[in-house]
Amino acid sequence: AQSVAQPEDQVNVAEGNPLTVKCTYSVSGNPYLFWYVQYPNRGLQFLLKYITGDNLVKGSYGFEAEFNKSQTSFHLKKPSALVSDSALYFCAVTGGYQKVTFGIGTKLQVIP
Amino acid sequence: EAEVAQSPRYKITEKSQAVAFWCDPISGHATLYWYRQILGQGPELLVQFQDESVVDDSQLPKDRFSAERLKGVDSTLKIQPAELGDSAMYLCASSFRGNNSPLHFGNGTRLTVT
């Protein structure tokens, strides 16, 4: 069965500093990986995806993610955090024809 | 930008009552999903439609939950009777072509069962 692990419940980072939100996955076959962001009382918004190709994927709002096949990881990164980036971040995976599995989420708090 | 529409945004109901949620996906999106999100957890798939056909309802509690997408466009999720443990956010999402495409979510229905 496929699974996603987000090992940190919360990540705190100072405004202007780089941020990383961690994600590891387990799936049969080639993974399709996604990051979503959720603001309070809202649905999830798509940030970026990895299907194939370059291991560094760029997405919305200056976010990027690095796919590492050997470590089965797909960490979300941003060079310089903004207070407005504070939200709940979800990593998701599918093996293609299987349902999408979401992690439990990581709360990002950017401190002014 | 096109959005997934959901209604109502909030619903309070007493246990044993019936409740229904409605979703209108982005035009042209063949795949529609209903997710349940409990506070502090990630979304859990309840049912997935491809056009009007159910392709995955393995996690749908079929004794009380039902979902339909009669014309392959909008969809309704029903709970009857509601239980206290059903209190959660119910999210609808759509995608252009199945699980390999990004999911576009509505703002959800926050259900409280008293």
Side-chain angles (χ1 to χ4, degrees):
Chain A
Q2 64 190 31
S3 64
V4 174
Q6 293 184 242
E8 302 153 317
D9 290 337
Q10 181 160 334
V11 170
N12 297 323
V13 62
E15 186 177 23
N17 282 3
L19 69 87
T20 299
V21 182
K22 296 179 180 177
C23 170
T24 59
Y25 66 91
S26 174
V27 69
S28 298
N30 294 322
Y32 298 79
L33 295 154
F34 304 85
W35 275 102
Y36 292 85
V37 61
Q38 186 177 33
Y39 297 98
N41 290 317
R42 301 293 294 275
L44 282 68
Q45 296 177 31
F46 168 72
L47 280 179
L48 50 79
K49 67 178 180 181
Y50 172 84
I51 303 295
T52 186
D54 195 350
N55 289 344
L56 186 63
V57 178
K58 295 188 181 297
S60 306
Y61 313 120
F63 284 93
E64 58 190 26
E66 186 170 9
F67 171 67
N68 187 315
K69 186 174 183 179
S70 63
Q71 296 184 6
T72 61
S73 67
F74 189 56
H75 300 331
L76 181 70
K77 301 181 179 183
K78 188 174 182 181
S80 178
L82 301 173
V83 173
S84 58
D85 293 331
S86 298
L88 196 55
Y89 290 81
F90 291 95
C91 182
V93 68
T94 178
Y97 293 101
Q98 303 165 43
K99 67 180 180 182
V100 177
T101 299
F102 286 84
I104 63 171
T106 298
K107 182 179 181 180
L108 175 66
Q109 189 76 35
V110 181
I111 303 163
Chain B
E1 182 177 321
E3 295 181 348
V4 175
Q6 284 190 252
S7 67
R9 283 296 313 274
Y10 303 94
K11 180 70 177 180
I12 300 174
T13 191
E14 294 181 348
K15 63 180 181 179
S16 80
Q17 295 298 305
V19 63
F21 314 131
W22 176 80
C23 172
D24 191 12
I26 293 173
S27 178
H29 280 194
T31 312
L32 184 146
Y33 311 77
W34 283 101
Y35 282 89
R36 177 170 59 189
Q37 185 179 22
I38 296 170
L39 195 63
Q41 298 183 21
E44 174 194 22
L45 181 69
L46 291 174
V47 61
Q48 178 177 340
F49 290 92
Q50 183 67 29
D51 299 308
E52 66 276 9
S53 300
V54 173
V55 297
D56 189 338
D57 64 356
S58 57
Q59 299 303 310
L60 187 72
K62 298 180 187 63
D63 57 334
R64 299 186 298 109
F65 286 64
S66 63
E68 60 183 16
R69 193 185 184 197
L70 292 176
K71 297 182 179 179
V73 181
D74 60 339
S75 176
T76 301
L77 178 70
K78 297 179 181 178
I79 308 175
Q80 182 173 17
E83 296 181 352
L84 295 177
D86 296 332
S87 295
M89 176 77 89
Y90 290 83
L91 295 165
C92 179
S94 67
S95 70
F96 177 66
R97 191 180 300 172
N99 295 332
N100 301 345
S101 304
L103 274 60
H104 298 260
F105 284 83
N107 284 326
T109 296
R110 171 75 65 186
L111 174 67
T112 302
V113 182
T114 62

